[in-house]
Amino acid sequence: VVMIGFKKNKMFSVCKLVIGFGVDPALRISVFDELTLGEGFDGVTQVQGFHSESRAFHFQGSSREVKAPVEVSEQMVHKLRGKNEFTVLVTLKQDHLNSGVILSIHHSEHRFLELESSGQRSEVRLHYRTKGQQDHTEVFPYSLADDQWHKVSVAVSASHVILHVDCNRIYERVVEPPYMDIPEDTSFWLGQRNAAHGFFKGVMQDVEILVMPQGYISQCPDLNRTCPTCNDFHGLVQKIMELQDILAKTSSKLSRAEEKMNGLDGCYCERTCSVKGVVYREDESWTDGCRNCTCTNGTVQCEAISCPPPQCPAGTAPAYVKGACCKECQRDYDITFPLRLYASVTPLPFYPLTLTLFLSLPPAGHDFCSEGNGCMENSDCVNLEAGDCCVCKDGFRPLRDDNAYCEDIDECAEGKHYCRENTMCVNTPGSFMCICHTGYIRIDDYSCTEHDECLSGLHNCDENALCFNMVGGHSCSCKPGYTGNGTVCKAMCDGLCQNGGTCVSPNNCVCQQGFTGKRCETDIDECADGFVECDSKSTCVNLPGWYHCECRDGYHDNGLFSANGESCVDINECKTGRNTCANDTVCFNLEGGYDCRCPHGHNCTGDCIHDNKVKHSGQIWVLDSDRCSVCSCQAGQVMCRRMVCDCDNPNADLFCCPECDPRLSSQCLHQNGLLTYGSGDTWVENCQQCQCLQGQVDCWPLPCPPVDCEFTVVPEGECCPRCVTDPCQADTIRNDITKTCTDEHNISRFSGSSWIKHGTECTLCQCKVSC
């Protein structure tokens, strides 16, 4: 109750804003003012409007470009971007049978918002993009092109669309919500779709877009109401679903966080250094050979120990001591010499036994290194003739003059490497490596050559492109018969593929279902070719790309819509009043029709009653409201039909038979700008059936055969849905937000909603419930 009361108050303030004080300029896009239409556009002149002294503009001709400048278009689109509640308003008087665009906001081929009125088919069409990035057209059967003034408003509120004409609610529908994330460089046109198509002919005034709920109230204040809008309801539903998702995710994250916090008590995080299996903490120092090292932010930094010259007293001399990096003062007799003391007992003649000592060198080939040496890491011990010494390994330099301690030489930094062109030098302990630059392959340890991506197949060229190797890379060029940038190449077909056909290879079109021919220019007439057997109460009607069985005159469908016409049942014209029997005759229902009979004993005239006027039997007349329809009275029954067009007759009425117009000015240009059609020609483009009549192109959604199944999908390259059994593959389910699904945590999800499965990051779930 509180929520509804809030909405009522909100709605009251909105209505007050519209009626009492006008619309906030930030919510209004006044198209005439934004385009400064009064300053002159070719084909547009200012005239008297619907209201006295009101400003209106007459749109005429087909050589005009009423387009907003880039900066103006950006300002208008900015107000509309991302909004899901807005209303398009216009007061117009459209020429009889004209088919034209009132306004169009489109980017490239995608129409984000376009309002169109077709006088040829008596339709109002709303074109837009859906949130699924699909182009959508909502068709409202209604004729505006009658050369009369009409107030028109199309209000969009989330998935709700309402069409008002002359302040009367004509249609109210639930549709797929529009996608209004409009790009910056979007075009804004008035009275036409572009410079070549969709020219509106007639008078328009008060063209506005109101970015607010129930904007039609500003055009028709008497329609004021206080009920919440569909967008209000959708917003509430969306918030509930978001809160459910947030609650589930927050609960999960909180649980994991509590588990981690239980193990974090007393922990202190820091970056450490690991050297030779020993872990050192931040800022901890140690000695590594003859280097002082420190762990700084996880990185080891070392410097050679600096040794000052020792000041030795008399009787001592500087010498290295095992395990020390710097020389220390040693007594002379403590200095070790590479000599060994050997003793022998030698008997001498004529003397008593004598002990003789000899000081001599060791025997040749003795292994001094094995008896212990002072050579450290990166230094090798070498045996000499009278002792041993230390020698730094290759790629290392001594840290002291006896070579016991050595450090790595950075050959890359000192330029002592042999890496050649196309390589990069990388230092290693005691050596270096030559790494090939990107796009090159190795010749030997020191040089690299260009990598031929084309030969190896490691390129990004399209399969229909030629690969050309270049220094450090490659280039791609589409093969003859294909067009593109080389990474994407599309086949070219001479004359283009028509009626939605796809060019799959040079001059080879693959046609959509229901079309044939080298360029898919021919519609397959399933009715004439005998492919179809319709029920006797129906007749086969060929349509572009398909067909259907239509109930014959005197029959109507019972609502089951069977494909072969079995659902057609007789209309009882006598009970429904759909008969023209005069007062002196009696209506008798017949299968597929009726009969006007004289009561027994009466003499009937056979006259007919039409539009409250008596028409004599055999009389023929033209309808006052439609000069192209002819009626006749035959034995009490009125028979009306559209005038038969004979294009071979030079006196054919071109107003009633625009397809017979031979003038070049009545020809139409195809959407691609390469093909020309004569008046009366039809074709299919982007899943729309198009027709050229008197120089104007009118397109409407291609009719599709009914599908009697719960889940449908539109295959790629096709226009009409097909049945599937797997709801997860379906893409045309009309969501009913009053229905729900239950997820893995027994949380109710509304139909059409999506969420990330709990405990995962890559699994997207969606609720799909068909209506």
Side-chain angles (χ1 to χ4, degrees):
V1 175
V2 173
M3 193 179 308
I4 294 177
F6 168 78
K7 292 299 180 184
K8 284 185 175 181
N9 292 336
K10 175 186 176 184
M11 186 54 59
F12 172 77
S13 63
V14 170
C15 296
K16 182 177 179 182
L17 182 67
V18 172
I19 299 171
F21 303 99
V23 178
D24 184 349
L27 305 177
R28 180 194 295 273
I29 301 175
S30 183
V31 179
F32 282 179
D33 293 340
E34 297 287 352
L35 269 64
T36 60
L37 209 58
E39 296 182 3
F41 281 87
D42 290 340
V44 181
T45 55
Q46 186 167 338
V47 296
Q48 176 66 41
F50 174 65
H51 309 290
S52 59
E53 299 181 0
S54 60
R55 186 178 62 158
F57 290 92
H58 185 204
F59 291 75
Q60 54 191 336
S62 301
S63 59
R64 63 174 189 257
E65 290 193 23
V66 185
K67 178 184 178 183
V70 175
E71 61 277 6
V72 175
S73 177
E74 290 180 355
Q75 293 174 6
M76 292 191 289
V77 168
H78 178 73
K79 291 185 179 182
L80 196 57
R81 183 178 296 118
K83 301 299 189 297
N84 55 7
E85 196 158 33
F86 55 88
T87 303
V88 179
L89 303 170
V90 60
T91 301
L92 55 80
K93 184 172 69 170
Q94 188 176 7
D95 290 358
H96 189 62
L97 293 181
N98 166 252
S99 292
V101 171
I102 297 170
L103 63 84
S104 178
I105 303 174
H106 62 266
H107 182 267
S108 184
E109 297 298 323
H110 302 307
R111 292 178 283 190
F112 284 87
L113 180 63
E114 180 176 296
L115 185 60
E116 180 184 16
S117 171
S118 171
Q120 297 175 9
R121 293 184 59 85
S122 298
E123 294 175 347
V124 177
R125 303 175 191 141
L126 178 65
H127 307 278
Y128 62 88
R129 295 268 287 169
T130 68
K131 290 186 176 179
Q133 302 296 311
Q134 299 295 321
D135 294 322
H136 179 77
T137 299
E138 194 67 24
V139 179
F140 305 99
Y142 195 89
S143 178
L144 294 176
D146 55 4
D147 207 25
Q148 302 292 323
W149 280 105
H150 295 288
K151 289 183 178 180
V152 182
S153 73
V154 178
V156 176
S157 178
S159 59
H160 210 59
V161 176
I162 305 176
L163 171 66
H164 284 89
V165 179
D166 299 326
C167 298
N168 295 309
R169 180 170 301 186
I170 308 299
Y171 292 100
E172 185 169 358
R173 294 180 181 173
V174 175
V175 299
E176 288 193 70
Y179 177 77
M180 299 304 292
D181 285 353
I182 309 174
E184 290 287 345
D185 53 342
T186 298
S187 299
F188 196 115
W189 295 77
L190 179 65
Q192 57 195 105
R193 176 173 298 117
N194 48 45
H197 296 101
F199 291 99
F200 174 90
K201 295 181 180 179
V203 182
M204 283 195 289
Q205 71 176 67
D206 302 333
V207 183
E208 296 181 335
I209 302 177
L210 301 184
V211 188
M212 56 183 295
Q214 299 170 337
Y216 51 81
I217 297 175
S218 69
Q219 189 183 64
C220 304
D222 292 340
L223 295 178
N224 180 19
R225 66 175 189 175
T226 57
C227 296
T229 66
C230 183
N231 184 67
D232 295 334
F233 176 70
H234 274 273
L236 178 61
V237 170
Q238 187 64 32
K239 287 298 181 184
I240 292 175
M241 292 191 297
E242 290 176 359
L243 289 173
Q244 289 176 331
D245 291 340
I246 293 174
L247 178 60
K249 292 178 180 178
T250 304
S251 299
S252 176
K253 290 180 179 179
L254 181 60
S255 177
R256 292 198 301 267
E258 288 177 345
E259 293 176 0
K260 292 181 179 180
M261 289 181 64
N262 290 334
L264 291 178
D265 292 340
C267 289
Y268 172 71
C269 297
E270 64 179 1
R271 299 189 67 178
T272 60
C273 303
S274 179
V275 180
K276 302 176 183 177
V278 179
V279 177
Y280 297 94
R281 299 183 63 177
E282 178 74 8
D283 295 332
E284 186 175 357
S285 299
W286 68 97
T287 299
D288 181 8
C290 286
R291 299 183 303 170
N292 288 327
C293 300
T294 305
C295 179
T296 304
N297 198 24
T299 302
V300 177
Q301 297 182 356
C302 298
E303 293 182 354
I305 295 176
S306 178
C307 296
Q311 302 295 326
C312 295
T316 64
Y320 287 113
V321 178
K322 187 175 182 178
C325 291
C326 299
K327 291 183 177 181
E328 298 179 3
C329 296
Q330 301 290 314
R331 288 174 295 179
D332 294 341
Y333 54 80
D334 289 335
I335 299 176
T336 304
F337 293 97
L339 300 174
R340 298 292 184 269
L341 183 64
Y342 294 89
S344 64
V345 178
T346 305
L348 297 177
F350 312 113
Y351 290 95
L353 182 61
T354 304
L355 178 62
T356 305
L357 297 177
F358 296 92
L359 189 63
S360 63
L361 294 173
H366 186 76
D367 186 1
F368 299 105
C369 293
S370 62
E371 297 177 354
N373 60 82
C375 301
M376 308 303 291
E377 183 183 14
N378 304 323
S379 179
D380 293 328
C381 180
V382 178
N383 284 302
L384 301 176
E385 188 174 327
D388 59 46
C389 70
C390 297
V391 178
C392 289
K393 294 179 180 179
D394 289 342
F396 294 87
R397 66 163 58 94
L399 287 172
R400 68 185 199 182
D401 52 13
D402 65 349
N403 293 347
Y405 292 89
C406 305
E407 67 174 353
D408 176 51
I409 299 173
D410 189 342
E411 294 86 356
C412 300
E414 299 180 11
K416 299 178 178 180
H417 62 84
Y418 312 106
C419 295
R420 303 183 64 183
E421 63 273 5
N422 307 324
T423 64
M424 177 179 64
C425 180
V426 177
N427 187 60
T428 60
S431 185
F432 61 92
M433 293 178 60
C434 301
I435 306 299
C436 295
H437 288 315
T438 303
Y440 294 83
I441 56 176
R442 183 172 301 283
I443 297 177
D444 52 36
D445 290 344
Y446 307 107
S447 57
C448 300
T449 188
E450 179 190 346
H451 180 195
D452 192 339
E453 293 95 342
C454 299
L455 185 62
S456 65
L458 300 176
H459 58 80
N460 61 349
C461 297
D462 189 272
E463 61 180 355
N464 295 312
L466 299 175
C467 181
F468 298 96
N469 193 52
M470 301 174 64
V471 176
H474 65 281
S475 64
C476 307
S477 179
C478 294
K479 295 178 181 178
Y482 294 86
T483 181
N485 59 6
T487 57
V488 177
C489 296
K490 295 183 179 180
M492 294 188 298
C493 291
D494 185 22
L496 301 178
C497 300
Q498 302 178 27
N499 295 313
T502 303
C503 186
V504 294
S505 62
N507 294 324
N508 182 19
C509 296
V510 173
C511 303
Q512 285 194 6
Q513 183 177 358
F515 293 93
T516 187
K518 186 178 180 180
R519 298 290 175 264
C520 307
E521 71 279 4
T522 305
D523 172 46
I524 298 176
D525 191 340
E526 294 85 356
C527 301
D529 293 343
F531 295 150
V532 184
E533 291 186 7
C534 291
D535 187 82
S536 60
K537 298 186 290 294
S538 63
T539 182
C540 182
V541 177
N542 184 61
L543 293 170
W546 72 288
Y547 66 92
H548 77 115
C549 295
E550 187 176 273
C551 296
R552 296 179 183 272
D553 290 339
Y555 296 90
H556 70 99
D557 198 280
N558 61 8
L560 299 179
F561 299 103
S562 62
N564 62 354
E566 291 180 349
S567 55
C568 295
V569 296
D570 174 58
I571 298 174
N572 190 330
E573 292 85 356
C574 299
K575 285 187 176 180
T576 60
R578 296 174 58 179
N579 65 83
T580 58
C581 294
N583 293 335
D584 56 353
T585 59
V586 178
C587 178
F588 283 86
N589 186 58
L590 300 175
E591 184 70 19
Y594 66 96
D595 191 14
C596 300
R597 301 177 182 177
C598 279
H600 183 68
H602 286 70
N603 184 17
C604 298
T605 62
D607 293 341
C608 305
I609 302 296
H610 185 261
D611 286 343
N612 297 321
K613 297 179 181 178
V614 177
K615 302 292 183 180
H616 298 295
S617 181
Q619 183 177 349
I620 300 175
W621 68 96
V622 176
L623 288 178
D624 294 336
S625 59
D626 184 2
R627 81 186 203 189
C628 302
S629 294
V630 179
C631 299
S632 64
C633 176
Q634 300 175 9
Q637 298 185 41
V638 174
M639 309 293 290
C640 294
R641 62 177 175 83
R642 183 125 179 120
M643 181 184 299
V644 177
C645 292
D646 181 9
C647 293
D648 294 330
N649 182 1
N651 297 321
D653 187 346
L654 297 182
F655 180 83
C656 299
C657 304
E659 63 270 25
C660 299
D661 193 340
R663 294 173 299 180
L664 292 176
S665 61
S666 295
Q667 292 183 343
C668 301
L669 196 63
H670 187 272
Q671 287 90 335
N672 57 37
L674 300 177
L675 299 177
T676 302
Y677 291 98
S679 185
D681 290 346
T682 61
W683 66 96
V684 173
E685 178 71 16
N686 291 332
C687 296
Q688 289 196 321
Q689 182 178 349
C690 300
Q691 184 179 27
C692 172
L693 287 178
Q694 294 180 322
Q696 296 187 67
V697 176
D698 190 18
C699 298
W700 54 92
L702 187 70
C704 290
V707 285
D708 186 18
C709 56
E710 188 174 8
F711 306 115
T712 61
V713 63
V714 178
E716 185 176 358
E718 297 188 17
C719 299
C720 295
R722 297 190 180 186
C723 294
V724 294
T725 57
D726 185 359
C728 293
Q729 296 180 353
D731 60 6
T732 57
I733 297 176
R734 186 175 294 276
N735 296 314
D736 183 353
I737 59 175
T738 64
K739 297 184 179 181
T740 60
C741 304
T742 302
D743 68 7
E744 66 273 18
H745 297 292
N746 292 322
I747 298 176
S748 294
R749 306 281 186 174
F750 290 97
S751 178
S753 64
S754 301
W755 67 96
I756 302 297
K757 186 177 180 181
H758 176 67
T760 72
E761 296 294 336
C762 304
T763 303
L764 178 67
C765 302
Q766 186 175 18
C767 176
K768 290 188 174 182
V769 182
S770 64
C771 296

